[in-house]
Amino acid sequence: MATFLYRLGRFSFRKRHFVALFWVALLALAGAGAAGAPAAGNSSFSIPGTEAQKAFDLLDERFPGTSADGATARVVFKAPDGQKMTDPGNKAAVQETVEELSGGSEVVQVSDPYQGGGVSRDGSIAYASVTYEVSGMELEESSREALKAAAEDARESGLTVEIGGDALQAVPETGSAEIIGIGVAAVVLVITLGSLLAAGLPLLTAIVGVGIGVASITALASTLDLGSTTSILASMIGLAVGIDYALFVVSRYRAELAEGRTREEAAGRAVGTAGSAVVFAGLTVVIALVGLSVVNIPMLTKMGIAAAGTVAVAVLIALTLIPALLGYAGRRVRPAGEKSKLLGGGRAKDKAERPNMGTRWASFVVRRPLAVLLLGVVGLGAAAVPAGSLELGLPDDGSQPTSTTQRRAYDLLSEGFGPGFNGPLVIVVDAEGSDDPQAAFKQAGDEIKALDNVVNVAPAAPNKAGDTATIAVIPDAKPSSVATEDLVHDIRAAGADIKDGTGADVLVTGATAMNIDVSQKLNDALVPYLVLVVGLAFLLLIVVFRSILVPLKAALGFLLSVLAALGAVVAVYQWGWLSGLMGVEETGPIMSMMPIFMVGVVFGLAMDYEVFLVTRIREAHVHGEKPAQAVVTGFRYSARVVTAAAIIMIAVFSGFIGSSDSMVKMIGFGLATAVLFDAFVVRMAIVPAVLALLGAKAWWLPKWLDRALPNVDVEGESLAALDRAADKDDEDKELVRA
């Protein structure tokens, strides 16, 4: 592989006009496709194989035209102090709002609070439910504007009016912090590479790669039902790895120049060595992201594949566009150790050059490996302690900031009707196989009413055929509580008895039940996913490092860092530590997909640093250095760049903490924390300590396995052979002349 990539690097350097034109054309093509595509909404949400989804599908079949998965909105009214919603003036304002909302082009029906029991017992609060014929992801912007306008008209009468439900779902915003993250990345690149031009190359190529990826996602959003969150997460991961991959190639190019090689040769060597590490690091990220499909949640699968595509583009750009741009830059990108005049280059050195920080740190670790190892493991173990209290759920309006109308509507409904009113359960009774459907409906209602934690059970509402009915159940506790989850399980357990007695199937659905089913499905998939992803990457790393213990150490180190990061997420978003600093207005359960998403993404990113750092150590070992010295050599050449890459990735991920979307905010914090732990504790401390303790045993591989594995030559031994052959030719020529 090193030889192939070496030739690719030289080709890209020589044919830079062609390569640059290709990427510019690809960016323009993707941009044109995005410009002409319909705007993306939020991806439709379905969970195959769950009871809640089965009930939704049954409702669509048995209640045609009711839009079981259509968007809903609750317009909540509160009377001024000392008044009631039943007062004539307030009642007239509400009925006028109901009439105004009923005229919407996508509206199926609007409930009248005074006819459907929508007024609280004390008369201070009322609500009208609006049902739309399409889902919140497909709702026209004009319908949302009409909903807001109707609420604003009602406010003019003196009422407090807020809107809840999924009809107001908005495209999440990432905020200005993302720009700050890129700014931090730029500063780190300038310091690391010692040149404004060299620092600009990784930023430029990362932006090109993310532009192609996000534009392609936007162009295909309508066709493939890709939501707005998909492009945000793809840009988050693509930007981070794009900068890092380009940084490693540029850094290796400068190191090759410092060895005295020509610029074209240095470009080829950089792609042949650092480029090999980029390929395998990218492969681990792609495996982790595509592996999300095993969960069988379409939205998560699409997010993973889209992000994996952006990572693949970042890898290809690092291998081709970077050497092409280095060709354009010429002498303005200086050898390693030299700075541009603008940054202080060209000055005479007053004293002998000292060993760099990476060399000093690695030397310290190899002298005291056991102490460093124990300190790192204990520290990460302490950070992981809060993960033992992890509670999972999916965000609802109760987790929104208090400044939003959705959150204020949620609070008003809780005040007027109880906390469980925000998470009603929909019971679907399928009596098609029952001899007496009406008796089945009644028995289902009676048995559910007798359960604990039930506030109200509405009468059964059968369909026209009379073979299926829905029953609305209001729990006593809020939607995200353990008590409500227990109630869902109790209803499903009671459904088995009802089926035995009547032959009717009882299914529980609704947003609350769907969230519970999603959490359970994600929990069930976590271990198989972990086995698949870690197993495949473990095999890949055996091929890369030609070792059993090094990949095993990499996997165990990853588990430490991801558990510590989950502990930090629990401490901030569930316990409320530093919540004000992180902009967390409401603590609660951790998003259900957080553990599995972090496992996938963090594993891929952790392997990036493992590959970049350990390949340089292995390269030194393969070229004859003793194990301890190889660790020091590897750190001398790669610690500075890995540190810079980690800081850049942390900065980029931290930028997404400013997002308006709670899922994106939490993922940004979790990934930034995981990279911090993994890069600076696991890879920079635990890895060299373990390698120092293992010595030559770290690179042990059974002979039969060594013969069976393909030789991918990540350390560039084949390029060293080219050097030896060239030197031999030179010697032969000298002998001929003599």
Side-chain angles (χ1 to χ4, degrees), residues 96-149:
E96 184 177 336
T97 303
V98 169
E99 184 177 349
E100 182 179 349
L101 289 169
S102 299
S105 60
E106 296 180 301
V107 173
V108 175
Q109 66 175 19
V110 182
S111 67
D112 188 328
Y114 304 100
Q115 296 178 4
V119 181
S120 64
R121 289 184 179 180
D122 64 2
S124 64
I125 296 173
Y127 75 93
S129 292
V130 186
T131 305
Y132 294 88
E133 63 185 16
V134 296
S135 67
M137 299 76 174
E138 303 167 318
L139 199 63
E140 295 285 344
E141 190 60 32
S142 58
S143 295
R144 293 191 178 93
E145 292 301 323
L147 181 61
K148 295 175 185 176

Side-chain angles (χ1 to χ4, degrees), residues 308-507:
T310 307
V311 171
V313 170
V315 170
L316 293 174
I317 282 179
L319 300 178
T320 57
L321 186 56
I322 281 291
L325 294 179
L326 289 172
Y328 284 117
R331 296 182 179 277
R332 285 169 289 184
V333 175
R334 297 171 180 268
E338 292 186 19
K339 296 182 179 180
S340 65
K341 292 182 179 179
L342 184 63
L343 297 173
R347 298 174 185 171
K349 295 181 181 179
D350 297 329
K351 55 184 177 180
E353 189 174 345
R354 297 174 55 198
N356 63 22
M357 181 65 74
T359 302
R360 296 198 298 273
W361 169 250
S363 299
F364 169 79
V365 173
V366 297
R367 288 197 305 270
R368 299 174 179 83
L370 189 59
V372 172
L373 176 62
L374 290 176
L375 185 62
V377 171
V378 171
L380 290 179
V385 168
S389 303
L390 178 68
E391 295 177 9
L392 297 177
L394 285 178
D396 55 20
D397 285 348
S399 62
Q400 297 265 19
T402 53
S403 59
T404 63
T405 186
Q406 294 97 322
R407 172 61 186 276
R408 292 195 291 263
Y410 181 98
D411 291 341
L412 285 176
L413 288 171
S414 295
E415 176 188 338
F417 300 92
F421 195 79
N422 283 294
L425 304 175
V426 179
I427 313 302
V428 182
V429 184
D430 178 9
E432 190 176 45
S434 175
D435 296 332
D436 189 350
Q438 291 298 324
F441 301 155
K442 184 177 185 307
Q443 182 178 339
D446 291 343
E447 292 202 21
I448 293 170
K449 194 177 298 183
L451 296 174
D452 294 335
N453 197 36
V454 173
V455 172
N456 183 57
V457 178
N463 62 351
K464 289 183 179 180
D467 60 359
T468 309
T470 59
I471 302 173
V473 177
I474 305 299
D476 184 45
K478 64 181 183 178
S480 59
S481 68
V482 175
T484 300
E485 182 176 350
D486 291 341
L487 175 60
V488 170
H489 295 315
D490 289 344
I491 294 174
R492 288 172 173 169
D497 297 333
I498 295 169
K499 182 174 178 62
D500 291 340
T502 65
D505 287 319
V506 177
L507 306 173

Side-chain angles (χ1 to χ4, degrees), residues 82-104:
Q83 299 183 26
K84 294 184 179 297
M85 289 306 304
T86 51
D87 294 346
N90 294 336
K91 185 174 182 178
V94 171
Q95 290 178 327
E96 184 177 336
T97 303
V98 169
E99 184 177 349
E100 182 179 349
L101 289 169
S102 299

Side-chain angles (χ1 to χ4, degrees), residues 444-606:
D446 291 343
E447 292 202 21
I448 293 170
K449 194 177 298 183
L451 296 174
D452 294 335
N453 197 36
V454 173
V455 172
N456 183 57
V457 178
N463 62 351
K464 289 183 179 180
D467 60 359
T468 309
T470 59
I471 302 173
V473 177
I474 305 299
D476 184 45
K478 64 181 183 178
S480 59
S481 68
V482 175
T484 300
E485 182 176 350
D486 291 341
L487 175 60
V488 170
H489 295 315
D490 289 344
I491 294 174
R492 288 172 173 169
D497 297 333
I498 295 169
K499 182 174 178 62
D500 291 340
T502 65
D505 287 319
V506 177
L507 306 173
V508 186
T509 189
T512 301
M514 182 69 84
N515 289 353
I516 292 169
D517 285 354
V518 170
S519 298
Q520 186 61 51
K521 185 158 189 167
L522 288 166
N523 285 342
D524 294 343
L526 182 58
V527 172
Y529 174 69
L530 192 61
V531 171
L532 173 69
V533 171
V534 175
L536 287 175
F538 181 76
L539 295 175
L540 184 65
L541 292 178
I542 289 176
V543 174
V544 174
F545 296 130
R546 308 196 77 78
S547 164
I548 298 293
L549 295 179
V550 170
L552 181 61
K553 165 198 59 64
L556 293 176
F558 150 73
L559 290 175
L560 274 174
S561 58
V562 79
L563 285 173
L566 274 175
V569 170
V570 170
V572 173
Y573 290 89
Q574 187 174 309
W575 292 358
W577 294 4
L578 302 177
S579 57
L581 182 64
M582 296 298 167
V584 181
E585 295 190 25
E586 185 72 20
T587 59
I590 303 305
M591 183 182 61
S592 298
M593 66 177 64
M594 191 68 186
I596 201 163
F597 192 83
M598 280 190 65
V599 164
V601 177
V602 174
F603 184 80
L605 299 180

Side-chain angles (χ1 to χ4, degrees), residues 664-678:
V664 175
K665 181 192 294 282
M666 191 181 295
I667 288 175
F669 173 80
L671 294 182
T673 306
V675 170
L676 175 68
F677 288 148
D678 195 86

